[in-house]
Each structure stands twice: as C-alpha cells, then as structure tokens.
Amino acid sequence: MTGKKANGSCNVAKNTSNDSDNENRNVYYAMEKPTYAYDDIKAIADYLMERTPVRPKIGIICGSGLNSLADSITNTQSFDYENIPNFPVSTVEGHVGRMIFGYLENMPVMAMQGRFHYYEGYPLAKCSMPVRVMKLMGVQYLMATNAAGGLNPKYKVGDIMIMRDHINMMGFAGNSPLQGPNDPRFGPRFPPMTNAYNAHLISVAHKMAKEMGISHEVHEGVYTCLGGPNYETVAELKMLRILGVDAVGMSTVHEVITARHCDMTVFAFSLITNIGALEYDSSEDEANHEEVVMVGKSRQSICGQLMCRVIKEIAKECQTK
Ligand SMILES: O=P(O)(O)O[C@@H]1C[C@H](O)[C@@H](CO)O1
C-alpha cells in the first residue's frame, strides 16, 4: 500500500486486496492526519476542479439512507471517495461514498453521497473537511441532511425536522472541528453561531412544505450530535429533552460549524427515522441502523422534493440578484 508520510505530506493510498487491509487503511488514515492544512484541502479542490467543469454554488450532504437525494442531479459526474487523493472513505452502511457534480434546478451543485462520522475513527476536523473542499470550489450554500431520533413528543417516524439550531454537545467536552491553529483564509478564530441556520431558507422550506401539502409532518427544532456509535440510554434521552433537544443524531453539527466558520449559508434538516425511548417500558422499538436506513429510503423521495424546491427558490433569488 502506498501511504502518507508521518509529517502529513500526501501520497495517494491505493485500494488494497482484502477487507481487513481496507479496514486497517481506514484506521491508518483516521489516526495519521487528524486535520488538514489549507494546501491539502486546496489540492483536493484543485484535483476535482481539473476533472469537472461544474463550479458548484450549492453543496449537499446526504444523510443515512438518503443517498437518492442526489438522484435528481442532471449532467452528472461522480467521483468515488477512494479515488480522490487524501479523501477519507465511507465505512457506514447507507453511505455510498461518492461525490457527485451536476445541476439541480439549473443550479450547479456538488453532493456527498456519504459523510464521515466521529465514531468511524475520524477526528471532527476530518469529518467536516469536505465542507472546506466545497468552499474552495465556490460553494456558497450548504444543505445538510441527516437521520435522527425524535425526542419531541409531537414527532412521528418519517417526519422532517428543519434545523433551527443545534446544541454542540461534543463542543461542551472541548471537541471541535475548529480545534488547533486557525487559518484565517477559512475564517476567524472565534466565529459566532447565533444565526447558524439561515432564517430565510427556513421560512422558504416551510412555504414549500405547505405547497407540497406536508406541513403537518414538517417541524422546526433543535438537533444535537453525540459521538455514537451506540444509541442513547433512556436517562441520556431524558436529559437531552430537558435541555431542549428535539432530535438526536451523530453528525451535521461539526459540518455546520465548519460551514459557518467559512461564511456559508446553511440549511439543514433531519429525517426522524425512529423515536427515542424516554421510558424503560416504552413501546418504541430499540433504535437500530437497519430501521434508520429503511425509513430513510422510504422517505427519500419526499426529502428530495423538499430539498429541490428550496434549491429552486435559491436559484430564482440568485437570478434576480
Ligand atoms: O449520517 P447520519 O447522521 O444521517 O447517520 C445517522 C447517525 C448514524 O450515523 C446512523 C445511526 O443509525 O444514522
């Protein structure tokens, strides 16, 4: 296997012959390069820009089971993560591991079919590194999606929660994608997060949900990301609910922090794939990833339609600017 030198200089790692080698390679990648310097990220952006004529304005991240959000993209060109130099690989079922370029509602977009999670062994800065690649390719809007467990008693499986805000639980423990030296070419040392989720796009999404006749299953709420990969205990879920959390997952927060740090406009939503058990004798099934992916697949069409409509509005607004 070709690898990367201990000082972080980059060679392209080739796929090796068997699963356990591949697994080792993932761990190797995760541990060796906890963060990426500006030039490393620029090299990835340049690699992609040399191979696609698309200059994306919108970056999309597909959550678990939501790969087909990228299916409506036209004139596509795709890159498997394993073939992009120095890119991490997806190890989670329901995350294909592919970057797609093309057009949605006439807007140039790039979409990640598969994201990186902390529990895969990747540090947070590495999980959200692709957001910086997006930025260096010209992306102005991040549209992130995820699968999440519902805590708000009004939520049902299959509902959509537009993210109004998040609670950065991992940040409470001192873990941030922005940890380490700050590169001002991306953004300031101390970025604000007051308006992390764009209020205008949230209202556009509500309007679109109304037009689609799905307002009754679309909510607005607060998401939190835990480290995973285990799902939560009853006591943990109760605590999160007391803290004001409406949906809990294992992603997105660090991507949004990275996007806001470099001044992207953010829109995000959770698909409620399961309901968190707030009592020990709850009638809710225990959370499991098969169900999460299954619900994702069964609702990806609705999620995709909502996202396309929001993008259509952005396209209209861009034209009139
Ligand atoms: O990538 P997302 O946040 O959609 O995936 C969720 C969180 C875990 O990766 C997994 C748990 O089932 O789904």
Side-chain angles (χ1 to χ4, degrees), residues 47-91:
Y47 173 91
L48 293 167
M49 285 200 287
E50 279 159 18
R51 286 161 181 78
T52 175
V54 179
R55 293 294 172 263
K57 286 275 162 291
I58 296 180
I60 298 167
I61 302 179
C62 304
S64 283
L66 293 170
N67 290 303
S68 84
L69 290 184
D71 283 355
S72 322
I73 300 176
T74 56
N75 294 63
T76 56
Q77 235 182 323
S78 71
F79 299 84
D80 291 343
Y81 294 164
E82 62 186 26
N83 294 328
I84 305 174
N86 286 307
F87 216 72
V89 289
S90 283
T91 67

Side-chain angles (χ1 to χ4, degrees), residues 62-66 92 95 115 117 119 145-148 223 229 231 249-252 273-274 288-290 292-293:
C62 304
S64 283
L66 293 170
V92 184
H95 291 260
R115 63 150 56 89
H117 305 84
Y119 62 76
T145 63
N146 59 61
Y223 172 92
Y231 295 104
M250 303 177 197
S251 68
T252 311
T273 53
N274 55 288
N288 68 86
H289 190 60
E290 289 68 35
V292 167
V293 172

Side-chain angles (χ1 to χ4, degrees), residues 4 12-16 19 21-30 36 79-93 95-98 112-122 126-127 129-130:
K4 293 180 287 180
V12 182
K14 297 271 187 296
N15 240 343
T16 45
D19 282 353
D21 274 359
N22 276 338
E23 233 167 69
N24 290 339
R25 174 177 162 257
N26 294 339
V27 173
Y28 175 72
Y29 258 70
Y36 284 64
F79 299 84
D80 291 343
Y81 294 164
E82 62 186 26
N83 294 328
I84 305 174
N86 286 307
F87 216 72
V89 289
S90 283
T91 67
V92 184
E93 198 219 317
H95 291 260
V96 173
R98 193 164 48 206
M112 292 180 68
Q113 279 185 324
R115 63 150 56 89
F116 309 111
H117 305 84
Y118 191 65
Y119 62 76
E120 291 176 77
Y122 298 125
K126 191 161 191 167
C127 293
M129 177 276 293

